[in-house]
Amino acid sequence: MEWKKFARGGAFGLLLIAIGGCYEYKAPPAATLGETYTRRDRDKADELLNGITELTLADAQRIAVLNNPTYIAASHAVNAARMRYYQAWGAYSPVVSANFTLQENDSWSRRQQNTSGATRTRRFSTSTGVSATWLVFDGLAREFNIKAASHSLDYQRLLEEDECRTLMRAVAYAYNDVLLAIENKRISLEDRNFQQISLKDTQMKFQAGAVPLSDVLNFEIQMNAADGDLIAADYQYETAIYSLAVLMGYPEGTLPPEIKFPSDFKTNFSDLPSVDIYLDTALANRPDLKGYREQLEVARYQMYQTYSAYSPTVNAFFDLSYGTNLSRYSGGQSPYSHSYSESPAVGYGLTADWTIFNGFIRYNKMREYQAAVAVADFQVAQKWLDVVGEVRAAYANYIQSVRQTRIYEKTRDLSAKQRDLVDEGYRAGNVELTRLNEAQRDLVEAETNLASSYVAIQNAKAQLDAAVYANQADYYKDPVNTRPGKLENTPAPGLSEKEMTKESSEQTQPAAAPDTSIIPGTANAPSPVAEPKAPAVKAPEKAKAAEAEKSKVAPIPASPTAPPPSRQAAPAAKVPEVLQP
C-alpha cells in the first residue's frame, strides 16, 4: 500500500505545480470578446478618459502605452521568449521518469499428441520502475542553445521597445491630424463669416440699386463653397478622432464630444544641433537596430550548434525496477498448481554515440547556417543604413518645415492685409468683385498652408523623436513626466538661456488668432499678437544680410517629450546631451 500513498502524493504535487504555474494576465477589454457593439460588455477600459476634459498629446501617449493591444501583446511575447530561455536551461537537468505496468496473460495448448494432456497457464505480472538519464556531454550544443535563447529573449525585449517607439509616433501623427482638422474648420468658418457679412452688405447695396444681382449671387456661391469646406473639415476631424481612439485602446472607437484639444502648439523654435549628434544617438539607442544585432548573435550560436554534431554524445543512466510474476497452471501432470516470483533490479552505466558519417548532412547543415549568419550580418548593415536615412530625413523634414512656416507666416499676414485693402476698395466701389474673390481665396490658401505647416512641424518633432528613440516606455507611463507644460520653455540643446531668450524674441508670432469658441475640440485659443516689423536694412549692408540669411541654420525646438537627464536611458552607449533639455 506504500506505493499507492506515494502515487497519490505525487499526483497531488503535480496538480499543485500545474495550477501554480498557469500564466496569468490581464484580459483584453470585455467589449472586444463579444460579437456586438451596441450591447457590448463594459469594463474599466470604457473609463479611460474619465476626468479628462482637455486631451494633450502627453495624455494620449500615456493612455496608449498602457492600453494599446498591439503593444501589450508585444510585452507578452517577451514573457514567451523568457519561458523558452528557461526551457533551454532545463537541458542540464537529469530526466527522471517512473513507470508501472500491470499485465495478465492467459495461454493454453490444444491438440497435443503423445503428451499427458492439455495444459493452461495464466500469468499475472506487475512491473514498477524508476529511471533517470543525464546528458553528460553533447559537444557544447546545450551551451550554444542557451546563448541563442538568451539573445532571442533580448531580441523580443527590443521588439517591445520598438513597438513603443512606433506607437508613440503613430499617436502623435493621429493627434496632429486632429489639430489640423480643427484648424481647417476654423479657416472654413472664418471664410464663411466673411462671405456672409459681404453678402449682407451686397444685398443692401443691391436693394439700393448700387450693385447688380450677380454680385449677390457671387457671395451666395462663395458661402456654399465655404459650407462644403466645413463638411470636409468635419469629416477630417471625425476620422482623425477615430484613429486616435483606436490607438489609445478606447473601446468606444471615438472620443467623447466634450473632449477639447489645446491650440497652443504654435510655439517658438530653437536652433537645431548638428545632424551627427542625432545620428550617434540613434545608432546607439534604436531598438530595431539592436534587435537585428541580436538576431545576428542568434544566428551565430545556431551555427555553432551545428559544429556539435561532429562530437560524440555521452549519456549516463540509472534504472531501478521491481517486478512480480504469478502463474497458475491447470491440466497436464504438473505436481504444482501455481508459481510466484519477485524480481528487483538495479542498473546504471554510460552510453556514448558518435556519428562517423551520414552522407555530408552535418557538413551541409553547417554551411547552411553559415550562410544564415551572412544573411543576418548584411541585414544589420542594411538596417544601419536605414536608421541613418531615417534620421537624416527627419532632420531635413524639420528644417524645411520650419523654413516653410516662416514663409507662410509672412504670406498669411500679407494676404490678410491685402484682402482687407481690397475689401475696403470693393466697398468703396473702386475694386472689381473678381479681385475681391481672388484676394479672399489667396487668404484662405495662405491660412491653410500655414496651419498645415504648423502641424507639419509637430509631425517632424514626432518623426525626429522616433528616429533617435528619445524616450522609452517607462517615461510615457509616468504621469509626472507627461504632465502638460512640464517641459515648456526649456532651452534648446547647445544654447544658453540668454541665447534661447534672444532666439525666442526674434521669432515671428501669428498675426491674428480668430475666435475658436464655436469650433468643437479647441481650447486655450491664443490671443492675437501682431508681428513685429523687421528693422530696415541699409543698402550697403544688404549683401551681408542676404548672405547671413542664406547661411542661417533652420531652428528646431526642443522636443516636448524629451526626458530630463535623470530619465534618459541608453543601455548600449551614453546618450549625447543634445537630447536632454
Side-chain angles (χ1 to χ4, degrees), residues 212-505:
L213 178 61
S214 60
D215 287 11
V216 177
L217 298 178
N218 171 80
F219 289 113
E220 289 182 350
I221 293 173
Q222 298 300 328
M223 279 190 60
N224 288 337
D227 287 335
D229 293 338
L230 279 173
I231 295 174
D234 283 334
Y235 173 74
Q236 181 186 9
Y237 178 81
E238 290 181 5
T239 56
I241 286 291
Y242 301 156
S243 299
L244 182 59
V246 170
L247 288 171
M248 293 167 58
Y250 190 50
E252 193 73 19
T254 185
L255 300 183
E258 63 271 14
I259 291 290
K260 304 297 181 182
F261 293 86
S263 57
D264 56 352
F265 58 92
K266 306 170 186 178
T267 57
N268 296 329
F269 315 126
S270 56
D271 286 345
L272 179 68
S274 170
V275 69
D276 294 338
I277 300 177
Y278 287 90
L279 290 170
D280 290 340
T281 305
L283 294 174
N285 293 343
R286 279 284 290 266
D288 50 346
L289 178 58
K290 290 182 180 180
Y292 272 85
R293 289 170 179 159
E294 293 296 333
Q295 284 289 77
L296 175 59
E297 293 301 315
V298 171
R300 283 175 177 167
Y301 284 109
Q302 289 176 342
M303 177 189 67
Y304 297 155
Q305 278 186 288
T306 63
Y307 298 161
S308 301
Y310 289 93
S311 171
T313 301
V314 180
N315 288 276
F317 67 90
F318 175 81
D319 294 319
L320 175 63
S321 63
Y322 182 84
T324 63
N325 190 352
L326 173 61
S327 300
R328 297 182 180 276
Y329 310 104
S330 61
Q333 302 298 322
S334 173
Y336 304 103
S337 61
H338 70 278
S339 63
Y340 175 79
S341 64
E342 298 179 355
S343 54
V346 177
Y348 54 89
L350 293 173
T351 62
D353 180 29
W354 189 11
T355 302
I356 304 298
F357 180 75
N358 64 349
F360 296 103
I361 293 177
R362 295 175 298 181
Y363 175 72
N364 290 320
K365 186 175 183 179
M366 178 185 66
R367 295 185 54 161
E368 174 193 351
Y369 278 83
Q370 288 173 345
V373 170
V375 171
D377 207 357
F378 281 98
Q379 287 177 340
V380 171
Q382 181 60 52
K383 193 62 183 179
W384 191 94
L385 294 173
D386 291 343
V387 171
V388 170
E390 289 179 23
V391 173
R392 288 192 178 276
Y395 187 92
N397 183 26
Y398 196 88
I399 290 177
Q400 71 87 23
S401 296
V402 172
R403 289 176 174 172
Q404 287 279 28
T405 299
R406 288 177 168 172
I407 295 175
Y408 287 146
E409 284 176 339
K410 295 177 181 178
T411 303
R412 188 274 314 273
D413 296 338
L414 294 173
S415 298
K417 184 180 297 185
Q418 176 183 248
R419 195 280 310 271
D420 292 341
L421 292 175
V422 173
D423 185 37
E424 291 178 3
Y426 174 76
R427 293 174 186 273
N430 299 325
V431 177
E432 296 292 334
L433 177 60
T434 56
R435 183 69 190 96
L436 178 59
N437 290 338
E438 291 176 355
Q440 177 63 16
R441 282 196 297 268
D442 290 343
L443 177 58
V444 171
E445 182 181 358
E447 288 274 11
T448 303
N449 290 338
L450 181 58
S452 298
S453 69
Y454 281 137
V455 173
I457 290 177
Q458 303 304 316
N459 285 336
K461 288 181 183 179
Q463 182 184 7
L464 194 56
D465 281 350
V468 300
Y469 190 48
N471 302 307
Q472 295 183 349
D474 291 340
Y475 174 81
Y476 294 102
K477 293 177 181 178
D478 191 347
V480 175
N481 295 334
T482 57
R483 185 171 65 246
K486 181 178 183 295
L487 298 175
E488 291 181 357
N489 302 324
T490 302
L495 289 180
S496 64
E497 293 186 7
K498 183 178 180 180
E499 292 172 331
M500 179 65 180
T501 305
K502 179 180 179 182
E503 174 70 20
S504 300
S505 64

Side-chain angles (χ1 to χ4, degrees), residues 6-269:
F6 175 77
R8 292 172 182 171
F12 182 72
L14 291 175
L15 180 61
L16 290 179
I17 293 175
I19 296 175
C22 293
Y23 183 74
E24 297 181 358
Y25 64 95
K26 183 180 178 181
T32 62
L33 303 178
E35 298 179 352
T36 178
Y37 177 83
T38 55
R39 296 190 300 273
R40 68 186 186 278
D41 295 330
R42 297 178 182 269
D43 56 10
K44 293 184 178 179
D46 292 275
E47 303 173 1
L48 295 178
L49 300 176
N50 287 359
I52 297 179
T53 57
E54 180 177 305
L55 184 67
T56 64
L57 175 59
D59 290 331
Q61 290 176 323
R62 177 174 56 84
I63 294 173
V65 82
L66 293 173
N67 298 280
N68 183 269
T70 302
Y71 177 70
I72 296 175
S75 66
H76 288 297
V78 174
N79 291 333
R82 184 179 293 108
M83 296 305 107
R84 291 192 294 270
Y85 175 65
Y86 294 158
Q87 292 176 51
W89 275 102
Y92 284 100
S93 173
V95 178
V96 180
S97 59
N99 62 81
F100 175 77
T101 303
L102 184 149
Q103 182 176 358
E104 182 176 10
N105 292 326
D106 194 353
S107 61
W108 57 91
S109 58
R110 299 178 58 189
R111 299 180 181 179
Q112 300 184 52
Q113 298 181 3
N114 301 323
T115 62
S116 57
T119 60
R120 181 176 182 178
T121 305
R122 300 181 65 186
R123 290 187 176 88
F124 179 82
S125 62
T126 62
S127 176
T128 304
V130 177
S131 62
T133 59
W134 185 25
L135 178 62
V136 179
F137 181 74
D138 63 348
L140 302 181
R142 290 176 297 184
E143 287 77 3
F144 296 143
N145 187 41
I146 288 176
K147 287 291 187 180
S150 174
H151 286 285
S152 180
L153 173 58
D154 293 337
Y155 171 70
Q156 288 295 336
R157 289 179 179 140
L158 292 167
L159 283 186
E160 180 188 12
E161 293 183 28
D162 194 60
E163 183 63 36
C164 173
R165 180 184 70 89
T166 56
L167 174 63
M168 295 299 97
R169 181 180 60 191
V171 171
Y173 285 172
Y175 186 89
N176 294 334
D177 286 342
V178 175
L179 300 182
L180 179 59
I182 293 174
E183 283 294 296
N184 287 337
K185 185 165 186 176
R186 175 188 65 79
I187 295 170
S188 299
L189 282 172
E190 285 186 342
D191 183 26
R192 189 183 187 283
N193 291 338
F194 174 81
Q195 303 295 347
Q196 187 176 19
I197 293 173
S198 299
L199 175 62
K200 290 181 180 179
D201 292 343
T202 306
Q203 286 175 338
M204 294 174 62
K205 292 180 179 180
F206 172 72
Q207 293 173 359
V211 296
L213 178 61
S214 60
D215 287 11
V216 177
L217 298 178
N218 171 80
F219 289 113
E220 289 182 350
I221 293 173
Q222 298 300 328
M223 279 190 60
N224 288 337
D227 287 335
D229 293 338
L230 279 173
I231 295 174
D234 283 334
Y235 173 74
Q236 181 186 9
Y237 178 81
E238 290 181 5
T239 56
I241 286 291
Y242 301 156
S243 299
L244 182 59
V246 170
L247 288 171
M248 293 167 58
Y250 190 50
E252 193 73 19
T254 185
L255 300 183
E258 63 271 14
I259 291 290
K260 304 297 181 182
F261 293 86
S263 57
D264 56 352
F265 58 92
K266 306 170 186 178
T267 57
N268 296 329
F269 315 126

